[in-house]
Amino acid sequence: MPLHRKKPFSAKQKKMQLLAKRVSKRDQAAREDPEWDFRQRPNEESAPGGPQTAHAQTAKPATDGRNKLTSQFDKLSRVEIEDNKKRSMQPLHRLSLEDGLTMSFDDAYSADVDIPVRPEWTYGESKSVVEGREAAYFNSWLERLRASDEEVSLYEKNLEVWRQLWRVVEISDILLLIVDVRHPVLHFPPSLYRYITETTGKPLVVVLNKTDLVAENTVQAWMHYFKQRFPAVVLTRFCCYRDEALVDDTAVASMKMRRQRPRRRTHDSRLVGDLFAACRSVCETDKLGLVGWEDLIARYTDKVEEEEDSDSGDESSDGEPDEPVAPNEDADEEAHHGERVSSKYVTLGLVGHPNVGKSTIINSIVRRTVVSTSRTPGHTKHFQTIHVTPTLRLCDCPGLVFPCVVGRPMQVLAGLYNIAQVQEPYTSVQYLAERVPVERVLALHPPADARDPENFVWSAWAICEAFAIDRGFYTSRGARPDVYRASLHILRWVLDGRILLSFKPPGFFRDFAYLKELAKEETQASVRSSDSASESSDTESKQPIAQKSMFALLDEENC
């Protein structure tokens, strides 16, 4: 069969193609904003009622297509983008550790901001009736949020994504709320906590994930803070990487070491036993015998088997008697038309924000890649079930953004929004640089034309420009520093943990109240262990110095 030659594409045709594309974009912009005139410069735009605000999006009905489960967010107007860009060129106002790196639930969430809860339904109703009631309720919830006095940041506006959460909560026996330990308050909506524990009456386990990115005292302080605010909550910790523990996650030297060390993806299952132990403690009595919890926990706590599994890569372990099956993509049909909770399985539902590590935890439990992962928010579209044993299954829920009152820059830095689609990343870099000395972590130098390089006052724009020069990011035409690309690169490094932005509970830097209480508990535990393990007087004389923890040293120094 003769091969067809490629049709030549002239420069004139290319020019016409670009012109048609430009006209199409203008028509789309005109439909979104009829008052916008493309012939005016962005700084000349004006609206009769003042600055142009973001377009309000209504809940679109679920239709067939690839965008059915695509997250929907409000977009910034052109005036807001230009204003934020100019603001990023102003000198930075550095914040103290107490003001900049502490976060409480009152800072992130408001009592007037809740999440949509699935309306009551019965099996005798038709699908159209149930979905119509859900759509009407969801639209009223959106209108109530817009009419609220609180300034709500980005949140999910696609009803289909919320339906995924509702179905996962319904079919699960135990809910695992996965939070990033760098900013756990942001990932723990109190309204979701009330929905799971009060409305549905199901047990909840909070998993502090990515604990290898922060210091041990940060993990202990957050666990203590959560126990104070929610005494009934069950907490556990998890990490999927084996890395050196940080002594101080606010020191610039530690941040520089983390920046220079890229991380390799592994499936570490060292802490899976603790995760299952927490699930066993809250499992219902009538289903406690369905799963052999003791054998399951012992399987993951065996150190010999752990080393063999870490060397095997993505291959499944020979020591596992039950081979995990492939994910079940059709689980939503079972959840909608079948039983809400199956009596044949114990289902663990993993819920939470995007990019907190839900799918990675599942791969670590199964010890091989069964669920694809990505740092792009919204990568998991449909919820899917994975069997660990014949009677224990995991349910991976797509990540969705819950309404909160924190700023949009913080949401971008936390990975709740796709970095590649950020319209204006300079505000997020400014938010970061006000709390973390980014120029010192990245070892950046002031501009060559600076009058006083030693006392140079940095701005978010200057940091991005210096980083673009350092990395060799230049525009193709004018050969100017590509500030936009550099800013996105910085945001990706924050998401990966190479630039550490770690928040602490209130009072952490002021009086170390949590550390002092933990120091007493740890000192008492160390004394008991030293008394039982001491065999000689020499060992006993050295024991108090060897057993002093970070918390005890901080207590002695009255930090």
Side-chain angles (χ1 to χ4, degrees):
M1 182 177 179
L3 298 177
H4 296 283
R5 297 180 58 185
K6 293 183 178 180
K7 186 178 180 180
F9 198 72
S10 64
K12 182 178 180 180
Q13 290 176 316
K14 181 65 175 179
K15 184 177 181 180
M16 297 300 297
Q17 183 189 44
L18 294 177
L19 180 61
K21 185 177 181 180
R22 195 176 300 116
V23 171
S24 177
K25 287 185 175 181
R26 289 174 181 173
D27 293 341
Q28 182 179 0
R31 288 193 299 269
E32 295 178 356
D33 185 6
E35 298 181 359
W36 176 68
D37 187 0
F38 71 92
R39 292 168 294 186
Q40 294 181 352
R41 298 181 61 87
N43 55 3
E44 298 176 355
E45 294 181 6
S46 60
Q52 183 183 0
T53 57
H55 304 292
Q57 297 181 5
T58 58
K60 298 179 181 180
T63 56
D64 295 334
R66 63 179 184 177
N67 295 328
K68 181 179 180 180
L69 288 174
T70 302
S71 297
Q72 300 174 3
F73 302 105
D74 287 339
K75 293 183 179 181
L76 295 174
S77 65
R78 292 171 176 83
V79 175
E80 292 173 332
I81 293 175
E82 291 298 322
D83 292 342
N84 292 340
K85 185 184 296 185
K86 294 178 181 178
R87 195 177 299 113
S88 66
M89 299 179 184
Q90 301 298 322
L92 292 173
H93 298 283
R94 305 286 185 176
L95 301 177
S96 63
L97 295 178
E98 180 65 27
D99 296 334
L101 290 181
T102 58
M103 182 180 294
S104 64
F105 286 102
D106 297 333
D107 299 332
Y109 292 96
S110 172
D112 299 333
V113 179
D114 58 353
I115 65 171
V117 179
R118 188 178 190 182
E120 294 292 334
W121 62 281
T122 60
Y123 292 104
E125 297 175 322
S126 63
K127 181 180 178 180
S128 59
V129 172
V130 174
E131 290 184 349
R133 185 188 303 118
E134 292 175 353
Y137 162 75
F138 188 73
N139 287 328
S140 64
W141 175 77
L142 288 177
E143 294 297 332
R144 188 169 67 252
L145 274 188
R146 296 193 189 101
S148 176
D149 296 334
E150 297 289 345
E151 186 176 352
V152 185
S153 300
L154 296 173
Y155 60 95
E156 183 60 63
K157 297 186 177 181
N158 191 345
L159 174 59
E160 287 298 321
V161 181
W162 285 102
R163 281 171 174 163
Q164 300 291 310
L165 173 67
W166 296 342
R167 294 169 184 175
V168 169
V169 173
E170 286 181 353
I171 69 173
S172 299
D173 298 284
I174 302 172
L175 275 304
L176 304 180
L177 178 57
I178 315 300
V179 301
D180 192 332
V181 74
R182 293 175 292 179
H183 19 70
V185 168
L186 178 62
H187 303 300
F188 188 92
S191 55
L192 178 64
Y193 171 79
R194 293 190 296 267
Y195 169 53
I196 294 176
T197 58
E198 299 176 5
T199 305
T200 64
K202 296 185 178 181
L204 176 67
V205 176
V206 178
V207 183
L208 298 178
N209 196 20
K210 305 181 182 180
T211 56
D212 56 316
L213 292 178
V214 299
E216 178 64 22
N217 56 1
T218 301
V219 181
Q220 296 294 338
W222 276 121
M223 296 183 73
H224 189 77
Y225 178 73
F226 272 83
K227 278 295 185 181
Q228 281 188 336
R229 292 295 301 264
F230 304 95
V233 75
V234 178
L235 292 167
T236 186
R237 54 193 298 173
F238 199 87
C239 65
C240 303
Y241 296 95
R242 301 184 184 184
D243 208 343
E244 298 178 3
L246 292 176
V247 178
D248 185 5
D249 51 15
T250 59
V252 178
S254 300
M255 295 182 183
K256 287 184 177 180
M257 293 177 59
R258 180 60 54 87
R259 174 182 64 87
Q260 298 172 358
R261 187 168 53 249
R263 304 162 61 79
R264 183 176 62 89
R265 178 177 296 176
T266 58
H267 300 315
D268 191 2
S269 58
R270 289 177 298 171
L271 299 177
V272 175
D274 297 339
L275 179 63
F276 283 149
C279 296
R280 179 189 57 183
S281 64
V282 298
C283 185
E284 296 180 358
T285 306
D286 55 345
K287 284 194 172 183
L288 196 60
L290 287 178
V291 181
W293 293 105
E294 298 296 338
D295 297 338
L296 189 63
I297 295 173
R299 182 196 309 175
Y300 289 96
T301 55
D302 189 354
K303 294 184 179 180
V304 178
E305 187 177 8
E306 171 195 333
E307 295 296 333
E308 294 176 355
D309 294 332
S310 63
D311 297 336
S312 61
D314 292 339
E315 297 179 358
S316 60
S317 172
D318 296 335
E320 296 187 13
D322 304 307
E323 180 70 13
V325 300
N328 183 9
E329 297 285 354
D330 297 331
D332 53 346
E333 292 296 331
E334 176 186 352
H336 189 77
H337 299 287
E339 297 180 357
R340 292 192 175 184
V341 178
S342 176
S343 59
K344 301 178 182 179
Y345 308 101
V346 174
T347 305
L348 308 180
L350 285 78
V351 298
H353 273 145
N355 270 327
V356 294
K358 298 183 293 296
S359 301
T360 305
I361 290 178
I362 291 180
N363 293 333
S364 299
I365 293 175
V366 183
R367 294 170 173 170
R368 63 189 178 95
T369 303
V370 294
V371 180
S372 62
T373 59
S374 174
R375 63 184 179 185
T376 302
H379 178 72
T380 303
K381 298 298 183 183
H382 296 268
F383 82 86
Q384 45 195 341
T385 57
I386 298 92
H387 287 260
V388 180
T389 67
T391 56
L392 178 64
R393 63 180 181 179
L394 308 173
C395 188
D396 185 17
C397 178
L400 69 162
V401 182
F402 301 97
C404 61
V405 295
V406 299
R408 185 189 296 248
M410 180 59 215
Q411 291 183 305
V412 173
L413 290 169
L416 307 187
Y417 192 79
N418 189 0
I419 293 178
Q421 299 178 359
V422 174
Q423 298 172 280
E424 181 271 309
Y426 315 109
T427 306
S428 300
V429 176
Q430 182 179 6
Y431 186 93
L432 171 68
E434 290 175 347
R435 291 157 176 81
V436 177
V438 182
E439 71 280 359
R440 296 173 58 190
V441 175
L442 299 177
L444 301 178
H445 302 285
D449 56 350
R451 296 181 179 179
D452 190 1
E454 296 182 357
N455 299 323
F456 179 74
V457 180
W458 289 92
S459 65
W461 185 273
I463 290 176
C464 297
E465 190 173 19
F467 186 66
I469 297 174
D470 182 70
R471 302 289 294 184
F473 298 156
Y474 293 94
T475 58
S476 57
R477 290 189 178 182
R480 295 185 296 269
D482 196 343
V483 183
Y484 181 78
R485 180 184 176 187
S487 59
L488 295 183
H489 207 80
I490 292 175
L491 297 183
R492 291 191 182 96
W493 277 21
V494 175
L495 182 59
D496 295 340
R498 299 178 67 177
I499 300 177
L500 183 58
L501 177 63
S502 172
F503 287 86
K504 307 294 187 294
F508 183 90
F509 298 103
R510 185 178 63 251
D511 52 11
F512 287 94
Y514 303 114
L515 301 185
K516 291 182 179 180
E517 294 182 9
L518 292 171
K520 296 178 182 179
E521 299 176 1
E522 191 167 327
T523 303
Q524 294 175 359
S526 63
V527 171
R528 290 193 298 267
S529 61
S530 61
D531 293 340
S532 61
S534 60
E535 297 180 356
S536 61
S537 60
D538 295 337
T539 306
E540 292 176 358
S541 61
K542 297 179 181 179
Q543 191 69 22
I545 298 178
Q547 291 294 328
K548 283 184 178 180
S549 64
M550 181 68 181
F551 312 118
L553 294 176
L554 291 172
D555 192 20
E556 292 177 357
E557 295 175 0
N558 294 325
C559 294

